[in-house]
Amino acid sequence: MREPTREQGLAIYRMMQLIRRFEERVAECFAGGEIPGFIHLSVGQEAPPAAVCALLGPDDLVGATHRGHGQCLAKGAPPDRMMAELFGRATGTCRGKGGSMHLCDMAHGVLGTNGVVGASLPIAVGTALASRVRGSGQVTAAFFGDGAANTGAAHEALNLASVWELPVVFVCENNLYAEFTPQSVHTKAGSIAQRAGAYGMRGVRVDGNDVPAVFAAAAEAVELARGGRGPTLIEAMTYRFRGHHEGDPMAYRQKAELEEWRAKDPLPRFRGWLGERGWLTDAERARLEAEVQAEVNAATEFARQSPWPAPEAALEGVYA
Amino acid sequence: MRYVKAIADAITEEMARDERVILLGEDVGAPGGTFGATKGLLQQFGGERVRDTPISETAIVGAAIGAAANGLRPIVEIMFMDFIGTCWDQVVNQMAKMHYMFGGQVRLPVVLRTHTGAGLNAGPQHSGSLEAWAVHVPGLKVVMPSTPADVKGLLKSAIRDDNPVIVVENKTLYATKGEVPAGEHLVPIGRAEVRREGKDVTVVALSRMVHEALKAADLLSKDGISAEVLDPRTLSPLDRDALLGSVAKTGRLVIAHEAWGPCGFGAEIAAIAAEGAFRSLKAPVRRVTPPFTPVPFSPPMEKRWLPDAGKIAAAVREVCA
């Protein structure tokens, strides 16, 4: 079983901090009316994107979900331009045309968050197909949720990736809810990973709040994909601490359940793991967290100071 | 050359010219396509570039989108256009919007070939004409070639275009013959063609109805009516200048297509003429379309259902009366 090195572990922890602080700031700015539209946060779900993307290189690709800020940040998208996109500013990664649910950063291999649940899986299969045909050696990580697992697009994509033995790692962030609907209502089978067998691919279910567990599963999956040995389906069991979208009163879940999962918060948990190894001293932690806070502050200021797009820019770029 | 051979030639030439061009679809490889349009391509270009897919339209179009975003130029086939609803999210929400919504970061040179058309007794789920769905969506280009020369030239242009292009063929045209210029032959996307010059009425006809409109023009010439037949060839973006120019010249407009009338392409043509050439019009615009029912199976019913030269000629006589 592969474990993160000290350097990887610290990078993953830093990324989890960045995702958490970035999204907490997004929540504040949304509540304050600075961010328009709809916002879906992944607070509590930081471990899978941070651990999986730590194993990917700059040329590899990520298909993200509508709850994809963390997936984009983990793949290397710059927080300032991401924040500017959420603010709807001209300096955003998509020049204000996309927003939170349609956030793309091809320069860092981010294929886009996707406003249609399940729709990013077939597209990730396509980027993997191109890697294969071009012999580029790229791996694509396709993130999706438990809700997406029940779409036709997901079934078709998993089957096709397996038939063609494409270099994809499917990462299901199972947070137990499809929007407002709990798993007991939307899925009969106990696990999503077990579906892998039906597609003829490897499947593994891990504790998605346990960084080393996610890392080990992803390390094997990425290695196999890169070696031309086809896709893997990883199901990471996790939980979102906030609602489906900001403003969701969360009437559909019990306080006790939320508290139970808060006790499994992946950040302190991984901090403990790093601490046990003597890899994260208090001084190092303080320095790292201050750095992250400064980065989020700078991103927010960048977004606030950025110009709005000219209204006429709405007419540009329908066709290449 | 037959229409179906013109398609195969276009794909073969472009695959030979550019190794980024790949072909995906149900039965396109070893079987060579439902109507034989992709026969021999698997042998010529190999299994990496020519791929038979599962019956998974969503995955086929999605894979083409991803492959295009990552450097290839895929041609995909959706066997019958009636099936396009199964992958409509990928076509409309993903393929058509990604260039725009990502601020120009991705280009999607995807060609989606599909076919429409009644007349082969294929029944309600295999005979529909749904091009208006695609024309309604910004970000897609839509071409509808009526001749072997046009299908070759437009398909080659579509493969070279950096945008998603839907190529709407007609299954009853596959066996038809026509001249195709030798050598490199490209038809520009966005340009209409006057198939027959005339001075009394403009007949705008799509795909197979172009041939019916030409037959109608022959019938009408015997009555002393001179009909101009305009084939838009590209539905989106439309050659508005050619349309308005012809209507300004003739002062009358009849539109013929095989798709249903309500919200069909003819409604758009009529609206453009009303907005841009109203003062030229000497008579109300008429549309010739099938009745608003699914396409029936049995031959006598299907024949009654389809527009044809007689129905086009009758509409022209009315507006010229």
Side-chain angles (χ1 to χ4, degrees):
Chain A
M1 203 169 108
R2 276 185 56 184
E3 281 194 354
T5 62
R6 179 176 190 274
E7 195 186 335
Q8 283 171 324
L10 291 176
I12 291 169
Y13 182 69
R14 188 181 192 288
M15 182 51 67
M16 291 168 74
Q17 277 289 337
L18 178 63
I19 298 170
R20 177 72 58 94
R21 299 296 162 235
F22 182 91
E23 291 214 301
E24 285 174 350
R25 178 60 56 82
V26 169
E28 286 166 31
C29 294
F30 180 78
E34 288 183 287
I35 292 179
F38 302 118
I39 290 291
H40 307 82
L41 299 181
S42 65
V43 176
Q45 301 183 195
E46 294 87 351
V52 171
C53 294
L55 291 149
L56 302 178
D59 291 340
D60 293 324
L61 294 150
V62 156
T65 67
H66 66 287
R67 198 177 302 290
H69 303 152
Q71 297 148 10
C72 298
L73 287 166
K75 187 61 185 60
D80 54 352
R81 297 201 56 209
M82 272 180 60
M83 191 67 92
E85 185 61 32
L86 302 192
F87 272 64
R89 303 304 168 101
T91 54
T93 52
C94 305
R95 304 178 191 186
K97 296 260 182 66
S100 171
M101 285 188 283
H102 320 97
L103 202 160
C104 170
D105 183 20
M106 284 304 283
H108 295 91
V110 175
L111 290 167
T113 57
N114 205 309
V116 181
V117 169
S120 62
L121 278 83
I123 298 171
V125 171
T127 55
L129 170 63
S131 311
R132 166 75 169 274
V133 173
R134 292 169 48 216
S136 66
Q138 297 159 291
V139 169
T140 301
F143 289 90
F144 63 109
D146 47 298
N150 290 332
T151 64
H155 292 295
E156 291 191 11
L158 287 156
N159 181 58
L160 186 59
S162 187
V163 167
W164 287 346
E165 298 179 313
L166 295 176
V168 195
V169 179
F170 294 101
V171 184
C172 178
E173 293 177 5
N174 185 343
N175 66 16
L176 313 181
Y177 289 88
E179 301 194 358
F180 317 113
T181 302
Q183 220 136 84
S184 58
V185 175
H186 72 66
T187 300
K188 180 81 171 174
S191 108
I192 288 160
Q194 77 182 18
R195 298 182 190 180
Y199 302 116
M201 75 169 78
R202 288 172 302 279
V204 53
R205 188 184 222 199
V206 295
D207 178 343
N209 284 11
D210 178 356
V211 170
V214 179
F215 186 90
E220 190 188 3
V222 169
E223 196 176 300
L224 290 167
R226 215 176 301 277
R229 292 167 64 194
T232 302
L233 170 57
I234 297 171
E235 180 184 19
M237 303 305 296
T238 185
Y239 199 78
R240 59 171 152 80
F241 296 158
R242 304 184 72 93
H244 165 57
H245 56 76
E246 285 305 282
D248 164 13
M250 294 196 281
Y252 49 87
R253 66 183 178 190
Q254 302 296 318
K255 206 170 160 224
E257 181 187 274
L258 183 57
E259 277 164 13
E260 182 194 322
W261 278 93
R262 277 201 187 281
K264 301 186 216 170
D265 188 330
L267 264 90
R269 195 161 159 196
F270 189 49
R271 193 156 67 222
W273 189 89
L274 292 167
E276 283 166 25
R277 278 153 188 76
W279 290 354
L280 186 66
T281 61
D282 287 348
E284 175 71 0
R285 179 186 160 194
R287 190 185 64 78
L288 185 150
E289 291 182 5
E291 253 177 44
V292 165
Q293 199 58 60
E295 196 173 352
V296 171
N297 290 343
T300 314
E301 280 318 299
F302 175 79
R304 283 178 178 144
Q305 303 303 326
S306 289
W308 292 101
E312 294 72 29
L315 310 182
E316 295 162 4
V318 177
Y319 295 95
Chain B
M1 183 186 292
R2 286 191 195 279
Y3 190 94
V4 69
K5 174 78 163 63
I7 294 169
D9 283 2
I11 299 174
T12 305
E13 287 175 22
E14 292 305 303
M15 288 190 79
R17 194 184 65 85
D18 186 345
E19 64 177 15
R20 296 171 299 174
V21 179
I22 63 165
L23 186 64
L24 310 174
E26 293 158 13
D27 301 332
V28 298
T34 332
F35 291 88
T38 53
K39 211 171 226 155
L41 293 168
L42 174 63
Q43 289 74 13
Q44 192 171 346
F45 297 104
E48 278 294 294
R49 292 178 66 198
V50 179
R51 288 170 177 262
D52 281 317
T53 65
I55 299 178
S56 302
E57 281 83 1
T58 295
I60 296 166
V61 178
I65 293 167
N70 198 13
L72 300 183
R73 304 183 79 85
I75 305 170
V76 302
E77 181 176 320
I78 298 301
M79 203 180 267
F80 289 72
M81 197 174 194
D82 308 73
F83 307 163
I84 206 161
T86 57
C87 54
W88 201 227
D89 170 63
Q90 290 291 333
V91 175
V92 167
N93 284 317
Q94 314 298 329
M95 188 165 80
K97 292 176 185 169
M98 279 172 73
H99 179 73
Y100 182 85
M101 75 185 179
F102 295 158
Q105 292 180 77
V106 289
R107 290 177 175 215
L108 296 181
V110 177
V111 172
L112 192 161
R113 288 183 50 236
T114 190
H115 62 73
T116 60
L120 296 183
N121 313 117
Q125 293 175 342
H126 288 71
S127 310
S129 292
L130 299 168
E131 62 276 3
W133 291 10
V135 175
H136 190 63
V137 179
L140 301 176
K141 294 185 179 182
V142 183
V143 301
M144 205 160 176
S146 63
T147 66
D150 277 1
V151 79
K152 181 172 182 190
L154 283 167
L155 181 51
K156 282 169 69 83
S157 294
I159 295 167
R160 296 184 194 188
D161 199 293
D162 276 344
N163 297 284
V165 183
I166 300 191
V167 178
V168 184
E169 299 159 9
N170 181 298
K171 62 176 81 59
T172 68
L173 290 177
Y174 286 136
T176 60
K177 282 185 179 168
E179 290 293 315
V180 177
E184 173 87 334
H185 169 61
L186 292 167
V187 173
I189 290 174
R191 206 165 305 156
E193 173 93 340
V194 174
R195 295 283 174 202
R196 176 184 174 124
E197 299 258 4
K199 58 183 176 39
D200 297 326
V201 59
T202 298
V203 180
V204 174
L206 302 187
S207 190
R208 187 153 87 87
M209 288 303 123
V210 170
H211 305 286
E212 295 299 318
L214 289 169
K215 278 187 231 164
D218 280 343
L219 297 172
L220 292 160
S221 69
K222 289 168 194 148
D223 305 348
I225 297 172
S226 163
E228 175 148 305
V229 177
L230 183 72
D231 178 355
R233 303 195 289 189
T234 300
L235 310 195
S236 183
L238 180 69
D239 187 345
R240 295 167 64 101
D241 292 346
L243 169 67
L244 294 174
S246 181
V247 173
K249 181 173 89 173
T250 64
R252 295 182 182 87
L253 176 61
V254 169
I255 307 145
H257 58 60
E258 221 186 293
W260 296 294
C263 294
F265 193 68
E268 178 65 19
I269 295 280
I272 290 170
E275 285 166 356
F278 185 76
R279 287 182 183 83
S280 311
L281 288 170
K282 299 173 206 157
V285 175
R286 280 292 313 270
R287 286 179 284 167
V288 181
T289 64
F292 200 47
T293 72
V295 185
F297 155 68
S298 173
M301 285 195 288
E302 191 186 48
K303 192 168 184 319
R304 160 70 182 77
W305 185 91
L306 263 168
D308 60 17
K311 290 168 189 164
I312 296 168
V316 168
R317 286 190 190 100
E318 269 182 50
V319 302
C320 289

